[in-house]
Amino acid sequence: MSVGIRHDDLRRRNRAMVISAVRRAGQPSRTEIAATTGLSHSTISAISSDLIQEGILTESKASETVSLKRGRPQVGLSLNPEAAAVLAVVLSLNFLSVAVIDYAGQVVAEEQRRLDTLTMSRDELIDECVAIVRRRLEDPDLDVQSVARIALAIQGITDSHARAMLWSPITPQTNIAFADILEREFGIPAIMENDCNMMAVALRWRDPDRYRDDFIAILLSHGIGMGLVLKGELFTGTHSSGGEFGHMIHRPGGALCRCGRRGCVEAYAGNYAIWRNARQLSENAEPVADVSDAEMRALAARARQTDGPEREAYRKAGEALGFGLGSLFALIDPAPVAMVGASAAAFDLIEPALREAIAQTAGGQHSGSISFDTEPNELPLIREGCAMRALSFVDQEIFAPGAQGKSGTARKHVA
Amino acid sequence: MSVGIRHDDLRRRNRAMVISAVRRAGQPSRTEIAATTGLSHSTISAISSDLIQEGILTESKASETVSLKRGRPQVGLSLNPEAAAVLAVVLSLNFLSVAVIDYAGQVVAEEQRRLDTLTMSRDELIDECVAIVRRRLEDPDLDVQSVARIALAIQGITDSHARAMLWSPITPQTNIAFADILEREFGIPAIMENDCNMMAVALRWRDPDRYRDDFIAILLSHGIGMGLVLKGELFTGTHSSGGEFGHMIHRPGGALCRCGRRGCVEAYAGNYAIWRNARQLSENAEPVADVSDAEMRALAARARQTDGPEREAYRKAGEALGFGLGSLFALIDPAPVAMVGASAAAFDLIEPALREAIAQTAGGQHSGSISFDTEPNELPLIREGCAMRALSFVDQEIFAPGAQGKSGTARKHVA
DNA sequence: CTCTATTTTTTCGAGCCTCGAAAAAATACT
DNA sequence: AGTATTTTTTCGAGGCTCGAAAAAATAGAG
């Protein structure tokens, strides 16, 4: 079972701890790191001296402005941007984007591309991804040697080992091991993640006060996705990325869902479902492939204006989301929720019915205390999550390697 | 955030590792422990020598029968039964039981008692629990000094710090901090756990092959409860024991549940719901307080005999459980399920509709591969889970103490 | 009955790691 | 210029684990 702690693990873990403290805090001094990690000054001194020598950290004359204090001024430590770089690839409906991010987390290059993912063949899809990565890696401004990891996020279900896309609404293809493909192609460790999980990761970095140990990120888009953080850790399924909130059952045998089943939350709250209900089509009507953001905005505008089928459609969406959240809260207790995606801009239309529904569920006891935040733009969030996830891997597996880090392809020490 | 690893934590953790290896394996030799923990022989030798000196482990001339091997015979290490003792208290509907368990996990004394929990006052309930514990502690055969922990399991919701019962179907009382009360009364560290969570813990110890990293224990009883283990850890809510599977919403606005809300899974699958449907009463009929096991057996017998309302009632129960499991599987992916409790004996009546329902959900893709096991007797399971949980605490916090173990009341080193 | 092969367990010195205390460094204030 | 203050480094002490070798304990061979 769980393996004993070897003596050399100790240094490894404490190295990782120092790196992560710097990544979180920005420009902490050695003293601050000692305080947050609970390690002694001597230890921090020794470790940070190593890390600086290896080119992972750099000293950066801390905030001159705050040097009104008496004694020896603190020296800020920061991540050396040149220590490594990672690629964040985001593949969503009809859209592919890639960004190159330096070790300090800054975007240094990017590229975006429109595709027709729904009609592309398997090979075309793979080729596009490989090609866009290749173009970035061939950029003369980039030191290819420094690229330590590629993280690819996709709308859909991925396996729990972060190797493959298992199923996705953006393509009829299934089981594409993107991570393995990219790894083979470029010799750079790659991971494949679910888009909503990356949203959650990003929210945690963006606003650690609000999104700390337990929170929910829900993507309101053509489909409904969820990223869940519990007890400070990203929640995933036992075999897949899990957290398929959109496919929890709202009404057994109910409306036709894009997944082919009936009564899923998504079949009431996804864009296509709202669109379908707003047009007063049958619940059995085949879900449309895509509804433009403009069209959804028009629907929302009409719903705000008159109490017609549009408003009712949003009400039904709120109800489905509310009962779904209620069932979720029965399992995990209530937690802060972030509503992300274009339809989050219409959350005012959704919220009343949502809260009414939640109030009828086990989570309803604390209905008032459940707070919602909205963020209409999911793409930057997904990319940010990818980047942070990739960088965390670099922090832990490459810059603090040891017996534990079994990633065969990971190169040791870059600097 | 996460704190650095101090040098002295190392020994502490490896001590805990050795103890837990012995608890799991029964009578492992030092060599076997070295193999399973990955630590060196020297380290294991040093640690086990300490543990034996402290009276925590004992040498026990390993299985003489297997001494057909050549070299120096292995010396089995086992837990010293006298190193400590724990109390496992189980409080369920109209029933209170306590068991004294020695450090090796053997029951050395027990007592059971019928109560009328639904009508008892808050103080009566507390007094009964305190009294039954006191009687056990006053047993002249028991060394009170050795009692290191009390674990109390209750049917109902407990807080995530294992201090209090927040709500329970067995009593109208709420928010009773049993753990604090017992701790104050006897000066022995106490914890308060949810019964179904303890079932899951016990299943893991009983059959680690089947119930290892991910599995579900569902209690089919008057109410519906769940214990969930994910990635090898007991799953709990953010604020409470969580995992209230029985109160996920099956049909929005549907049948009246014992919790006062509508459409919960329990309102279709709990004993009172099956009974209500079998009698063809309205879904709005007030849930009855209790249905005897005998009566449920009679219902099941009639359902097996003729295709009447009884069979339909079980069908509806299966449907509710199936859609509930389907929604759960959407979140966590399918996992082995153990059906526990009296109604698990009627699982043959439930299973067809359950599987049919699951097949209509996201979990349905692997519908065939989902396996169900039944165990009609929940009480021994709950007690066993309590005992193991309490013993694990002793293993870790008392016999492998350190800066991490902040349990103020825990005494250090017993032997 | 003795000797050898074999396996388990203990012993011992080496190598790390962290820690606390003290020293060194770097600045503000007087 | 000197003193107080704060940060950072240095250094010896104490612990822990590890590998190698020694010791212990048995089965089988002659």
Side-chain angles (χ1 to χ4, degrees):
Chain A
M1 201 126 301
S2 59
V3 86
I5 302 181
R6 323 285 300 274
H7 203 199
D8 31 330
D9 283 350
L10 230 160
R11 217 346 157 20
R12 196 192 118 261
R13 295 205 195 189
N14 287 340
R15 271 175 72 105
M17 188 99 27
V18 170
I19 295 175
S20 102
V22 175
R23 189 172 289 289
R24 256 196 299 274
Q27 289 202 341
S29 69
R30 291 169 175 78
T31 311
E32 281 167 12
I33 297 174
T36 60
T37 60
L39 297 169
S40 74
H41 286 187
S42 352
T43 304
I44 300 301
S45 185
I47 292 177
S48 48
S49 154
D50 282 358
L51 292 175
I52 289 170
Q53 202 141 32
E54 293 170 31
I56 297 169
L57 299 185
T58 51
E59 292 193 337
S60 61
K61 284 301 157 205
S63 37
E64 319 283 338
T65 49
V66 198
S67 74
L68 351 114
K69 282 193 299 181
R70 261 277 199 144
R72 175 174 177 173
Q74 303 189 348
V75 180
L77 295 178
S78 49
L79 301 165
N80 178 6
E82 296 169 11
V86 298
L87 260 63
V89 185
V90 180
L91 179 55
S92 41
L93 186 61
N94 297 334
F95 192 78
L96 175 63
S97 97
V98 63
V100 183
I101 290 115
D102 68 25
Y103 189 57
Q106 296 301 308
V107 176
V108 294
E110 57 181 310
E111 178 180 343
Q112 307 192 338
R113 218 173 141 72
R114 296 225 143 261
L115 310 173
D116 192 357
T117 53
L118 282 169
T119 61
M120 290 168 74
S121 74
R122 185 187 184 85
D123 285 343
E124 283 170 337
L125 206 57
I126 293 172
D127 287 349
E128 280 288 351
C129 290
V130 169
I132 204 169
V133 168
R134 189 186 308 283
R135 279 197 296 278
R136 281 303 106 213
L137 292 176
E138 284 172 351
D139 183 339
D141 293 344
L142 178 70
D143 173 18
V144 182
Q145 289 300 318
S146 74
V147 178
R149 191 169 281 266
I150 302 171
L152 197 157
I154 194 166
Q155 194 181 332
I157 302 176
T158 61
D159 73 309
S160 58
H161 299 101
R163 308 312 305 161
M165 173 208 86
L166 302 178
W167 179 89
S168 170
I170 70 164
T171 170
Q173 317 298 328
T174 57
N175 294 310
I176 308 185
F178 278 110
D180 293 334
I181 291 166
L182 291 176
E183 219 165 279
R184 256 199 307 276
E185 187 73 27
F186 301 108
I188 299 171
I191 48 173
M192 158 103 267
E193 299 276 1
N194 169 272
D195 60 342
C196 291
N197 285 351
M198 291 307 97
M199 283 173 12
V201 168
L203 285 170
R204 212 163 123 76
W205 282 101
R206 272 198 190 174
D207 187 354
D209 285 333
R210 180 174 162 83
Y211 303 112
R212 187 185 298 273
D213 289 341
D214 304 288
F215 65 91
I216 304 168
I218 292 185
L219 177 63
L220 300 178
S221 177
H222 198 62
I224 304 292
M226 177 177 73
L228 185 58
V229 170
L230 291 178
K231 300 186 174 56
E233 283 194 23
L234 193 59
F235 180 89
T236 60
T238 60
H239 300 100
S240 75
S241 47
E244 284 295 321
F245 175 73
H247 299 288
M248 288 178 77
I249 302 298
H250 171 46
R251 292 189 183 275
L256 183 61
C257 178
R258 192 169 48 151
C259 70
R261 292 178 286 263
R262 292 186 162 276
C264 302
V265 169
E266 186 179 297
Y268 297 87
N271 284 354
Y272 66 85
I274 296 174
W275 185 87
R276 186 169 60 187
N277 279 331
R279 298 220 155 186
Q280 296 182 283
L281 299 175
S282 154
E283 286 192 340
N284 302 324
E286 195 65 33
V288 292
D290 199 1
V291 185
S292 73
D293 283 359
E295 204 161 351
M296 289 307 295
R297 273 195 298 275
L299 271 187
R302 209 149 344 127
R304 289 196 188 89
Q305 209 168 34
T306 58
D307 189 358
E310 292 85 5
R311 191 177 292 183
E312 176 62 12
Y314 277 104
R315 201 199 58 74
K316 279 188 179 159
E319 187 182 77
L321 291 169
F323 277 110
L325 274 176
S327 283
L328 181 61
F329 287 162
L331 296 177
I332 66 163
D333 298 327
V337 180
M339 291 290 181
V340 185
S343 281
F347 188 62
D348 57 314
L349 292 165
I350 292 171
E351 187 169 7
L354 187 156
R355 284 198 182 271
E356 199 180 319
I358 283 190
Q360 295 174 50
T361 68
Q365 308 155 34
H366 322 85
S367 175
S369 69
I370 302 166
S371 70
F372 296 93
D373 220 14
T374 58
E375 165 59 59
N377 213 347
E378 75 262 29
L379 242 140
L381 217 47
I382 298 171
R383 169 189 297 175
E384 215 172 300
C386 267
M388 294 320 295
R389 178 137 278 231
L391 289 171
S392 297
F393 270 106
V394 176
D395 291 351
Q396 285 165 36
E397 292 187 9
I398 304 188
F399 290 159
Q404 304 288 72
K406 290 169 198 157
S407 65
T409 37
R411 295 155 300 164
K412 303 216 162 186
H413 290 253
V414 165
Chain B
M1 202 124 302
S2 58
V3 85
I5 301 181
R6 323 286 299 275
H7 203 198
D8 30 330
D9 282 351
L10 231 159
R11 215 351 157 14
R12 196 192 117 262
R13 294 206 195 189
N14 286 341
R15 271 175 70 103
M17 188 98 27
V18 170
I19 295 176
S20 104
V22 175
R23 190 172 288 290
R24 257 196 297 276
Q27 289 202 340
S29 70
R30 291 168 175 80
T31 310
E32 280 166 14
I33 298 174
T36 60
T37 60
L39 297 169
S40 73
H41 286 186
S42 352
T43 304
I44 299 301
S45 184
I47 291 177
S48 48
S49 153
D50 283 358
L51 292 174
I52 289 170
Q53 201 141 34
E54 293 170 32
I56 296 168
L57 299 185
T58 51
E59 293 194 335
S60 61
K61 285 300 159 208
S63 37
E64 319 283 338
T65 50
V66 198
S67 73
L68 354 112
K69 283 194 299 182
R70 262 280 199 143
R72 176 174 176 172
Q74 303 188 350
V75 180
L77 295 178
S78 49
L79 302 165
N80 179 5
E82 295 167 13
V86 299
L87 260 61
V89 185
V90 180
L91 180 55
S92 42
L93 186 61
N94 297 334
F95 193 77
L96 176 63
S97 97
V98 61
V100 182
I101 290 114
D102 69 25
Y103 188 58
Q106 295 302 308
V107 176
V108 294
E110 58 180 308
E111 179 181 342
Q112 309 193 337
R113 219 172 139 71
R114 296 226 143 260
L115 310 173
D116 192 357
T117 53
L118 283 169
T119 62
M120 289 168 75
S121 75
R122 185 186 184 85
D123 285 343
E124 285 171 336
L125 206 56
I126 294 171
D127 287 349
E128 281 287 353
C129 289
V130 169
I132 204 170
V133 169
R134 190 186 307 284
R135 278 197 296 280
R136 281 303 106 215
L137 291 176
E138 284 172 351
D139 183 339
D141 292 345
L142 179 68
D143 173 17
V144 181
Q145 290 298 319
S146 73
V147 178
R149 190 168 282 266
I150 302 171
L152 197 157
I154 195 168
Q155 194 181 333
I157 302 176
T158 61
D159 74 307
S160 58
H161 298 102
R163 310 308 308 160
M165 171 208 88
L166 303 177
W167 178 90
S168 169
I170 70 161
T171 170
Q173 317 299 328
T174 57
N175 293 310
I176 307 184
F178 278 110
D180 294 332
I181 291 167
L182 291 175
E183 218 164 280
R184 257 200 306 279
E185 187 72 27
F186 301 107
I188 299 170
I191 48 174
M192 160 102 265
E193 299 276 2
N194 169 271
D195 60 340
C196 292
N197 285 352
M198 292 307 96
M199 282 174 10
V201 169
L203 285 170
R204 212 163 122 76
W205 282 101
R206 274 200 189 173
D207 188 354
D209 285 333
R210 178 173 165 85
Y211 303 113
R212 185 184 300 271
D213 290 340
D214 306 286
F215 65 92
I216 305 168
I218 292 185
L219 178 62
L220 300 178
S221 176
H222 199 62
I224 304 293
M226 176 177 74
L228 186 56
V229 170
L230 291 178
K231 298 186 177 54
E233 282 194 23
L234 193 59
F235 180 88
T236 61
T238 61
H239 300 100
S240 75
S241 45
E244 283 297 319
F245 175 73
H247 300 288
M248 288 178 77
I249 302 297
H250 170 46
R251 292 189 183 274
L256 183 61
C257 179
R258 195 169 45 151
C259 70
R261 291 179 286 263
R262 292 186 162 278
C264 303
V265 169
E266 186 179 297
Y268 297 87
N271 283 355
Y272 64 86
I274 296 174
W275 186 87
R276 184 169 60 187
N277 281 332
R279 299 218 155 190
Q280 296 182 282
L281 299 175
S282 155
E283 284 192 343
N284 303 324
E286 194 66 32
V288 292
D290 199 1
V291 184
S292 72
D293 282 1
E295 206 161 350
M296 289 307 294
R297 273 195 299 273
L299 271 185
R302 208 147 347 123
R304 288 196 188 91
Q305 207 166 36
T306 58
D307 190 357
E310 293 85 6
R311 191 177 292 183
E312 176 63 11
Y314 278 105
R315 201 198 58 74
K316 279 187 178 159
E319 188 183 75
L321 291 169
F323 277 111
L325 273 176
S327 284
L328 180 61
F329 288 161
L331 297 176
I332 66 163
D333 298 327
V337 179
M339 291 290 181
V340 186
S343 279
F347 189 63
D348 56 316
L349 293 164
I350 293 172
E351 186 169 6
L354 189 155
R355 285 201 182 270
E356 200 179 319
I358 283 190
Q360 295 174 48
T361 69
Q365 307 157 36
H366 324 82
S367 176
S369 69
I370 301 165
S371 71
F372 295 94
D373 221 11
T374 59
E375 165 59 60
N377 212 349
E378 74 261 32
L379 242 140
L381 217 47
I382 298 172
R383 167 188 299 175
E384 214 171 302
C386 267
M388 294 320 295
R389 177 136 279 228
L391 289 171
S392 297
F393 271 107
V394 176
D395 290 351
Q396 285 165 36
E397 292 186 11
I398 304 187
F399 291 158
Q404 305 286 72
K406 288 167 199 159
S407 66
T409 36
R411 295 157 301 165
K412 304 217 161 183
H413 289 255
V414 165

